[in-house]
Structures are given as structure tokens and as C-alpha cells.
Amino acid sequence: MNKLEGRYRSLLRMLPEHYRRRWEEDMVSTFMQRMHSEDEDENAYLEMFGRPPAAEVIAVAALAVKLRLGTERRVGRSAVTGDGVRLAVLIWLMITAWGFLGVIVFELSAAGRGSPMGAWRALVAVSAVGAFVALSFDRRSVAKVLAVGAFGGLYLTERIAGFDDPFGFPNWMYVTGLLVTVLMLVALLVAFNKDAPAIGSSKGWLTAFGAAAPLFLVEALLRSTGVLLGRFNLFMLVHAAIVVAGGIMIVMSRLPNTRVPTYQVLALALIAGHNFIVEALALSGWFFRPSTPTTPDMFVGGPPAILVVQTALLAMVFAAAAFQAVRQLREHPVERLQADPV
Amino acid sequence: MPLPEIGIVPVHGSRYNGVLMTEQDFYVLLVLAEGPLHGYGIARKAEKLSEERVRLKVGSLYGLLDRLVAEGLVESDRQEIHNDRARRYYRLTDEGEAALDADVQRQLAKASVAS
């Protein structure tokens, strides 16, 4: 085996083992033929120093994602995993869109109109809401552009506006928060590729979004006029819903002949895990709080009990759902390819 | 009792039931309609027939072949040794031929509406 072949075989390790057993030799043979040149000197050089071209690397990486998320073939454990990730991304985007409704209201209110970046932030928020609406209509390319634009725009807004650690929190808190968002965006980009199954019920998703949207709008209005202050916010209801869903899952798993479908359990684990990290970061803000005049209200006066309870409950739901998801996923067969008839 | 499905609809059965196939699928099936061929040959011929609109990377080609084999449209034909390497040939199945014919008819029907 020459070095080029070795490098290509290393690249193929991205693919699931069962897939490699069936296709690796064939792929290597085709790849080496593709790279073959009529010039013997060039061949010798390529075999020693050549590397798989970037386009081939991307193609193998894309195939690996499709196979692991079950979009290439709609069977087995990978298909269930893919459905779970897609459901989690949809829910995350819906919750995010609710939050951005508040940004739109604030930027349009008297309190927000003075801000030099207000119009830009409002545009970013509209993009985020648009991303959810587009995805619920299965316009996945539009949704991806809007979502990346919204979160990229949000990041740029903070950079341009000179967002420079106003509270003096440790840098790892901001990096972790950014990383969690980037991971969800990456999940959106890869799990909703063109071969992924269609989103069946646009009406259902929009109804769910519309049912809670007025509450978030009213909350934002009350906050922007100073009527509502303090630690209460509607995301606590979202967390409560996650905890209730976790409770239902546990009860159903204990009853005979009944349980929540695996992809929904996996989605619950992912959403609970995401929200747990976000809340744990907020809680870390209290523990690492700096003593400066800019310290936010919520970090003054003692550990916020509601935040501690929320974080603990989300951690429990995450642990229970992740355990149950792994258990149920093991019951789904890993796709076994038929023996090669040749 | 399981919770109702809430939006993600799994696709069952062949994607070719009444749906136009992708350009890549079409050209791979078209190439194999002319006779059994190995992976490298399929990629080269698909490029040529499509006037280089379809350029199949190895990863894309085998993702596609894997799916076509799973859906029963393509099957392994034989294996040959070429430059000390095993080279597998693929051929179109009867279902593959029918799917290709159906797609050609659909494209012709669309073209006649447009003209």
C-alpha cells in the first residue's frame, strides 16, 4: 500500500464500520484510478506525497454525516438518530425564535430606539424568526441562510457595538455559550441536508409557535416599558415543559407496552442538555460574579434559588433522557449490509 | 401508547414513486443501461454524457450506488482484477430499468408541456 492509498484509507475511517466493510476496497480502487496519471514519474510522486483532494475529503465527510444521521438510507439506528437531531433542532429554533420576538419588540420600543445598533439587532431578530418559519415550511436552504445570517449578525453586532465583557465574567463562559450555539447551527446545517426527510406538518409547528408567541410579545412589551422586572421570564415555562416531558417519558417507560418513540426521547435529551448548559452558565455567572458597579441585578443578593432549581431539574431530565435514549437506540438494529454476492 | 408523530415524516419505500430523480441518479442509471460497468467507469461516463454537469466524487458516487443497490435498482455484476486491484462491476436491475424508463417518460411529458 502506497502512502496516498494509506491517506485515503485513513479518510474513509470517518465512515461507519459496516459501510466500510462493504465499500472500502471498491472506493479505494476507484479513487486510485481517478488519481492515476499517464506519466510514471508523476504517479510515483503522487503515490509518495499526494493527498486526497479537498473535494474528495468533503464528499467523504458529507457521506459520513448522511450515513450517521440516516439520510442516505432511511433504516436502522442512524435514521432514528437523524430524526431525533432534526426534531431537537426544530424545537431549538422555535424556542430561539420566541426569544428573538422579544428583541424585535424591545428595539422598536421607546427604550430601544435610541440604540445605534437597534435597527441592525431588529434585522438579526427578524432573520432568526424567519429561519424557523422557513424551516417549518421545509425551505431548508432559506432557513440555513437566515439562521447563519442571524447568529453571525448577532455576533458581529456585539463585536461592532464594542461588546467587551461588560460584567467581567471569565472568558470561558462566553466561549462555552458561543460553542453551544455553533453546535446547534452545525446540527441544522448537516441534519437538514437535501436528502433528509421532509418536515410533514408545517401547520403544527407554526401553531405551536403562534400559541406561545403572544405571551413572549407581551413579556417583552412589559419589560421594555419597565413594568416587568426581576428574575421571572417565560423561558422558565419552557424549562417547565421540558421537565414535564421528562416526567411523562419516565412514567411511560415504566408502564408495560408503552413508551415514547426513540427519536423523541433523543430530541428531549438534546434540548434538555442544551438548556442545562445555558442555565448552568447563568448560574456560573453568580459564582464567578465580579464585584463591579455593572454587576447585573440577578447576581446581587445571594444565589438565585429559581436558577439553582431549574438547572438541577434540567440536569436530571438530561441524564434520564440520555440514558433512556441510549437504551432505546440499542434496540434499533445497526444497519447490516448483505454479503456481497460477487 | 406512543406519543403522536409531530412533524418529522420518515420516507418509506423508493424515492422514485412519482418523483423525478436527481440528475446524478439519472446519469448513473443511464450509464448502467448501456451495460455493466465499474465505479471509475460510471463516474467518467456520467461526466461525459452530462457534458461535465455531473462530476461525481468517489464519496458521492458510492453514497449513490449504496442507495441504488439498497433500493434494488442496481446490483453487483462481477469482479475483475485490474492493476492488482479488485474492481467490481455493477448492472441495472429490471426495477432500475423501469425507474429509468418512467423518469424519461416524465421528463418527456414535462418537455411536451413546455414546448
Side-chain angles (χ1 to χ4, degrees):
Chain A
M1 178 169 53
N2 61 55
K3 292 200 169 171
L4 175 61
E5 181 181 335
R7 288 177 189 125
Y8 190 65
R9 283 187 191 274
S10 301
L11 176 67
L12 295 184
R13 290 207 188 107
M14 276 197 274
L15 303 171
E17 199 256 334
H18 67 82
Y19 187 89
R20 273 188 286 134
R21 264 206 313 273
R22 171 69 177 83
W23 296 103
E24 181 169 336
E25 293 310 316
D26 221 16
M27 290 179 82
V28 170
S29 169
T30 301
F31 172 75
M32 293 307 288
Q33 267 185 284
R34 275 229 142 175
M35 297 296 283
H36 187 79
S37 160
E38 296 301 315
D39 184 338
E40 281 308 311
D41 289 342
E42 195 180 333
N43 269 336
Y45 181 84
L46 270 175
E47 286 176 1
M48 180 61 83
F49 301 107
R51 290 181 181 281
E56 291 289 358
V57 176
I58 292 168
V60 172
L63 178 61
V65 169
K66 285 179 182 179
L67 288 167
R68 291 184 193 282
L69 293 181
T71 50
E72 195 62 28
R73 291 166 69 163
R74 301 284 311 138
V75 291
R77 193 180 294 173
S78 58
V80 177
T81 307
D83 281 348
V85 172
R86 279 182 286 278
L87 182 57
V89 168
L90 259 163
I91 294 170
W92 168 73
L93 211 49
M94 181 169 70
I95 296 170
T96 305
W98 282 330
F100 274 109
L101 283 178
V103 176
I104 297 171
V105 169
F106 179 80
E107 297 303 342
L108 295 178
S109 71
R113 273 202 291 269
S115 163
M117 299 298 287
W120 176 244
R121 267 195 287 266
L123 185 65
V124 163
V126 169
S127 294
V129 176
F132 168 72
V133 174
L135 193 59
S136 57
F137 278 112
D138 209 17
R139 303 282 182 204
R140 51 193 75 182
S141 300
V142 178
K144 287 176 189 178
V145 170
L146 288 174
V148 171
F151 286 101
L154 191 65
Y155 178 73
L156 283 178
T157 307
E158 289 176 351
R159 301 288 292 187
I160 294 167
F163 178 82
D164 186 23
D165 197 6
F167 308 130
F169 293 132
N171 199 40
W172 63 263
M173 282 177 57
Y174 294 106
V175 173
T176 310
L178 184 65
L179 195 65
V180 169
T181 303
V182 168
L183 278 177
M184 294 308 278
L185 271 181
V186 170
L188 165 69
L189 295 179
V190 299
F192 283 94
N193 61 57
K194 65 181 169 54
D195 292 323
I199 293 163
S201 173
S202 302
K203 204 188 279 182
W205 283 102
L206 290 172
T207 304
F209 177 70
L215 295 175
F216 280 86
L217 286 171
V218 169
E219 187 206 6
L221 209 58
L222 294 177
R223 278 187 188 282
S224 66
T225 52
V227 175
L228 184 64
L229 289 171
R231 290 169 184 168
F232 173 79
N233 64 63
L234 281 172
F235 285 104
M236 290 175 181
L237 292 183
V238 172
H239 297 149
I242 291 171
V243 172
V244 169
I248 292 171
M249 179 205 73
I250 291 168
V251 169
M252 286 178 71
S253 66
R254 298 280 183 279
L255 295 173
N257 302 324
T258 173
R259 65 179 183 181
V260 179
T262 307
Y263 79 94
Q264 292 178 7
V265 178
L266 180 61
L268 178 63
L270 293 172
I271 286 293
H274 170 272
N275 286 23
F276 162 67
I277 293 172
V278 171
E279 292 306 303
L281 283 176
L283 197 58
S284 307
W286 184 83
F287 287 111
F288 292 96
R289 70 193 185 286
S291 300
T292 68
T294 54
T295 302
D297 288 348
M298 69 176 296
F299 298 118
V300 176
I306 189 84
L307 200 54
V308 175
V309 172
Q310 279 191 108
T311 311
L313 286 174
L314 285 169
M316 283 192 271
V317 173
F318 166 64
F323 176 76
Q324 185 69 16
V326 170
R327 210 161 77 164
Q328 286 187 211
L329 274 171
R330 280 192 185 143
E331 293 167 17
H332 291 270
V334 175
E335 192 183 0
R336 300 278 177 213
L337 297 170
Q338 290 172 347
D340 187 359
V342 176
Chain B
M1 195 166 135
L3 291 175
E5 302 276 330
I6 53 170
I8 303 284
V9 180
V11 176
H12 296 290
S14 170
R15 64 173 67 190
Y16 305 112
N17 297 332
V19 181
L20 281 177
M21 57 180 71
T22 67
E23 198 168 24
Q24 290 185 340
D25 292 356
F26 176 79
Y27 277 107
V28 168
L29 294 181
L30 191 63
V31 165
L32 292 176
E34 294 179 9
L37 203 54
H38 48 80
Y40 177 66
I42 294 170
R44 288 294 301 270
K45 212 159 178 183
E47 271 176 34
K48 199 173 159 194
L49 281 178
S50 67
E51 295 170 335
E52 305 222 338
R53 280 198 314 281
V54 170
R55 298 179 73 95
L56 287 163
K57 302 288 168 250
V58 181
S60 317
L61 172 67
Y62 282 90
L64 207 147
L65 278 176
D66 178 49
R67 180 163 44 73
L68 295 175
V69 169
E71 294 187 344
L73 305 184
V74 168
E75 62 190 3
S76 285
D77 183 69
R78 65 183 188 278
Q79 195 162 287
E80 285 181 359
I81 302 298
H82 174 79
N83 286 346
D84 296 331
R85 287 183 191 282
R87 196 155 77 167
R88 189 179 286 129
Y89 282 67
Y90 300 90
R91 65 168 174 256
L92 209 57
T93 61
D94 292 343
E95 288 89 345
E97 213 172 313
L100 183 63
D101 281 347
D103 197 72
V104 169
Q105 294 308 319
R106 277 194 290 269
Q107 293 199 42
L108 286 173
K110 278 173 72 181
S112 69
V113 170
S115 59

